[in-house]
Amino acid sequence: MANKRKLLGEILVETGVITDKQLQQAISVKQKTGEPIGRVLVDMGMATEKNVFEAMGKQLGVEYVDMGDYPVDPSVIKLVPLHIAQRYKLVPINRRGNKLTVAMVDPLNIFAIDDVRLITGYEVEPVIASEDDIMDVFSRGYKVEDTVKDALADMGGGVEQDLDVTQTESDLSLSVDRLKEMVEEAPIIRVVNTLIMRAIEDRASDIHVEPEKNALRVRYRVDGVLHDVMSMPKYIHPALSSRIKIMADLNIAERRIPQDGRIHVKTTDKDIDLRVSSLPTIYGEKIVMRILDKSSVLIGLNKLGFLTETQALLEDMITKPNGMILVTGPTGSGKTTTLYSILQKLNSPEKNIITIEDPVEYQLQGINQVQVNYKAGLTFANALKSFLRQDPDIIMVGEIRDLDTAEIAVHAALTGHLVLSTLHTNDAPTTISRLIDMGVEPFLVASSVIGVLAQRLARVICPECKTAYKPPVGALKRLGVEEGEEEMELFRGDGCELCRRTGYKGRVGIYEMMPMTEEMSNLTLRRAPAHEIKAASMRGGMTTLQDDGLQKVMQGMTTFDEIMRVVFIG
């Protein structure tokens, strides 16, 4: 009989990484959450990912490889196609004779090993590596351009012969039947899959497929900024756009009007939705795919970047049994993430939570979500009226766009419900004036609004290439640094492979929290202008967007240039 394999926790105790007491604590958490013991230990800060994978290597009898600085050999990596590497989370790292060393998240996956052996013709020697390390090698070793070029070569120019590339989209003679044939061919499927999977790996929020006069441009929006990814021959555009439209259940024969659809993508560890929008332009249909990753919004209030005092103030507000809390900011400023994080914190079996959204971007367990349907007559206002007959405790309105919606939301807030919603205003004080301008009576605004949170998103300095520097004295004065503190250091990113040479990786919220105090209520009742409301809120201790951003510059989280980009600083 084979020896019984040691448990991962036992190995970590034996090697001195954790104590037996820590293991018991982690097992208790594992029983509640169902998470693997290794993930629990990392999340609790008891072990590093490297500790866990080293122990897993010992447990499984394979070598552990730390690939953080592993040299990438393109000739070895490309022995395994990208789609196979992505499917099994593996990457070939070395070749000796007829033996290929392959780093894997799961080195006991015999199906993966067999597929690699069949494709490459080499004997496979599996080693174990962390998923983050493997994904990093992906980004260094597999290029979108290479995969697309290979796929185009496989298409053999047949598409180009079918299409006169000098024609505009409205004049295309390519038949729908031929398009359907093309989009079912393996090369075009590979191109679309590669563009989507690479965007997910690069943490992109949007994919832009843009036809130009003589080419097809692809761009990703990463951390709020668009980046060119590649340019493709124009002749691939009909097949590429049609493939995306078929996946999104859109009409490929209709190219004259905008269309909207949705694609569901399942990766090995998460479910992702793509919201697809097509728009006819003079050179053909432009397609934008918004990547909706539930894990990116359900991250908890404590991870959004709130200063301690601001978060404490917000958490106090959301415990109120009734009233209205508004989150404001431009499109793409993270309002949905903030609202969903609040709902997750409030969600419990004792609460009836209902939302009306346009559209429902993320599905939340235990929360009743309704999607606007204008064709059927289901508007924000109509839905809100129905909600009040559904015995709700908490109502979330995706956006207050008109007086009807505003008045019903205010009525709900005044009759025992907590209402969360958004408005498009530049800062928190302007929100009060905006509601009054819409037609809501000042006394209703003063009685219903608990507080307003304005926000933006700023890019975070890349931890890999973060360096200190001494800024000019003039810049320090703009930051409010007193005389005698000129020796202070700030930080910036030099640019590296990890951050695509931008110097930034990830984003953090910049916030302005304005509670409705007695003084603010009085100003609201007499229709005071926004600048008076702002002055009063600052006297009451409100941290403005500018001050919040500058504090994050001083803390080394972001740069002065980035705060100037997202928040005007006078």
Side-chain angles (χ1 to χ4, degrees), residues 455-487:
Q455 67 178 78
R456 301 289 189 277
L457 288 176
R459 291 178 293 173
V460 174
I461 299 169
C462 172
E464 195 70 24
C465 59
K466 184 176 182 178
T467 55
Y469 74 100
K470 284 187 169 44
V473 175
L476 286 170
K477 284 181 178 174
R478 289 188 74 185
L479 294 176
V481 175
E482 300 295 327
E483 294 293 330
E485 296 189 21
E486 289 86 354
E487 295 304 307

Side-chain angles (χ1 to χ4, degrees), residues 389-400:
R389 296 190 288 273
Q390 287 283 321
D391 186 31
D393 296 295
I394 299 163
I395 296 170
M396 194 268 271
V397 185
E399 185 184 346
I400 293 177

Side-chain angles (χ1 to χ4, degrees), residues 284-340:
E285 284 183 296
K286 171 177 175 172
I287 292 182
V288 174
M289 292 178 273
R290 166 65 56 91
I291 299 172
L292 305 173
D293 176 5
K294 186 191 285 190
S295 64
S296 70
V297 291
L298 304 182
I299 56 177
L301 285 175
N302 61 328
K303 295 181 181 176
L304 295 181
F306 285 104
L307 297 177
T308 306
E309 315 80 54
T310 308
Q311 183 172 337
L313 188 56
L314 178 61
E315 289 189 346
D316 178 60
M317 285 181 185
I318 65 176
T319 59
K320 308 285 186 195
N322 61 281
M324 183 157 63
I325 299 171
L326 295 167
V327 182
T328 79
T331 301
S333 59
K335 300 187 295 294
T336 300
T337 300
T338 300
L339 286 175
Y340 279 21

Side-chain angles (χ1 to χ4, degrees), residues 401-463:
R401 296 178 180 172
D402 52 49
L403 178 59
D404 278 352
T405 307
E407 287 184 333
I408 301 166
V410 165
H411 173 69
L414 292 172
T415 54
H417 309 92
L418 181 65
V419 178
L420 308 171
S421 191
T422 71
L423 266 179
H424 284 282
T425 59
N426 289 328
D427 58 14
T430 312
T431 306
I432 302 300
S433 304
R434 172 82 179 111
L435 283 171
I436 294 171
D437 290 344
M438 288 174 75
V440 182
E441 290 294 335
F443 77 92
L444 292 175
V445 175
S447 336
S448 61
V449 175
I450 303 172
V452 182
L453 177 71
Q455 67 178 78
R456 301 289 189 277
L457 288 176
R459 291 178 293 173
V460 174
I461 299 169
C462 172

Side-chain angles (χ1 to χ4, degrees), residues 50-92:
K50 181 178 178 180
N51 294 148
V52 170
F53 276 92
E54 282 178 336
M56 286 172 67
K58 289 176 182 174
Q59 182 190 37
L60 303 175
V62 296
E63 182 188 351
Y64 163 74
V65 175
D66 182 352
M67 298 196 301
D69 299 312
Y70 207 91
V72 175
D73 183 346
S75 65
V76 173
I77 284 178
K78 289 173 184 174
L79 289 171
V80 175
L82 177 61
H83 65 280
I84 294 292
Q86 287 173 329
R87 183 190 306 165
Y88 294 122
K89 292 187 180 175
L90 57 82
V91 63

Side-chain angles (χ1 to χ4, degrees), residues 20 61 114 170 175 185 343 349 362 446 460 475 483 489 503:
D20 191 59
D114 283 347
S170 60
S175 74
E185 291 168 1
L343 290 179
Y362 305 92
V460 174
E483 294 293 330
E489 286 186 331

Side-chain angles (χ1 to χ4, degrees), residues 311-385:
Q311 183 172 337
L313 188 56
L314 178 61
E315 289 189 346
D316 178 60
M317 285 181 185
I318 65 176
T319 59
K320 308 285 186 195
N322 61 281
M324 183 157 63
I325 299 171
L326 295 167
V327 182
T328 79
T331 301
S333 59
K335 300 187 295 294
T336 300
T337 300
T338 300
L339 286 175
Y340 279 21
S341 297
I342 291 171
L343 290 179
Q344 282 293 105
K345 187 169 184 67
L346 296 173
N347 193 12
S348 72
E350 296 82 31
K351 297 272 175 60
N352 177 20
I353 303 176
I354 312 179
T355 75
I356 174 68
E357 304 170 59
D358 181 23
V360 172
E361 293 192 0
Y362 305 92
Q363 289 157 17
L364 306 176
Q365 190 171 354
I367 292 175
N368 307 285
Q369 294 172 272
V370 178
Q371 181 156 313
V372 166
N373 186 337
Y374 292 107
K375 288 181 181 176
L378 181 59
T379 63
F380 280 114
N382 290 343
L384 268 175
K385 288 175 186 173

